[in-house]
Amino acid sequence: MSWKNSTSRYGNLAIGLHWLMLLLIGAVYATIELRGIFPKGSDPREAMKMWHFMLGLSVLLLTLLRIANRFSAPTPAIEPPLKPLQDKLAKLMHLALYGLMLGMPLA
């Protein structure tokens, strides 16, 4: 298997980034939720906030890498082909997800 996408299959880079992003986004969410179990001003609470920021920046950087990978290699075709409405909705959903992955760390 290749690192780059082909017309029939996603490459190892795209697959690895996909799953790494899932883990990172889950970790970002977990750190901000877990900070609530520590008292305000405590060192563990501050550490959770710091981890939240650092993991969020990692999401931002990996999103930029993921966008670069998406435009530098072909996207495999979906088999069987989607109906036109489903195809448009899928593209809008991908755009929304990329917007969230870029916008949330910046916010």
Side-chain angles (χ1 to χ4, degrees):
M1 172 162 242
S2 171
W3 281 99
K4 293 201 112 196
N5 298 348
S6 68
T7 55
S8 63
R9 185 173 167 86
Y10 282 103
N12 285 339
L13 179 62
I15 293 169
L17 284 173
H18 174 85
W19 291 108
L20 182 59
M21 295 289 293
L22 173 72
L23 293 174
L24 278 176
I25 291 170
V28 168
Y29 179 75
T31 55
I32 207 63
E33 287 296 321
L34 289 174
R35 89 185 151 98
I37 64 174
F38 300 107
K40 289 186 178 180
S42 67
D43 286 339
R45 185 179 178 108
E46 294 303 314
M48 286 292 169
K49 286 198 300 192
M50 189 253 332
W51 276 104
H52 176 77
F53 294 135
M54 292 298 116
L55 291 171
L57 287 175
S58 299
V59 167
L60 177 63
L61 293 174
L62 287 176
T63 300
L64 295 174
L65 178 63
R66 197 169 167 170
I67 290 171
N69 181 55
R70 184 166 172 92
F71 286 117
S72 68
T75 303
I78 298 173
E79 293 296 331
L82 297 175
K83 295 176 183 169
L85 177 62
Q86 288 177 327
D87 188 50
K88 288 282 185 204
L89 290 174
K91 288 179 180 172
L92 284 173
M93 183 55 70
H94 272 105
L95 186 62
L97 287 171
Y98 279 116
L100 282 172
M101 288 188 289
L102 287 173
M104 291 301 290
L106 294 174

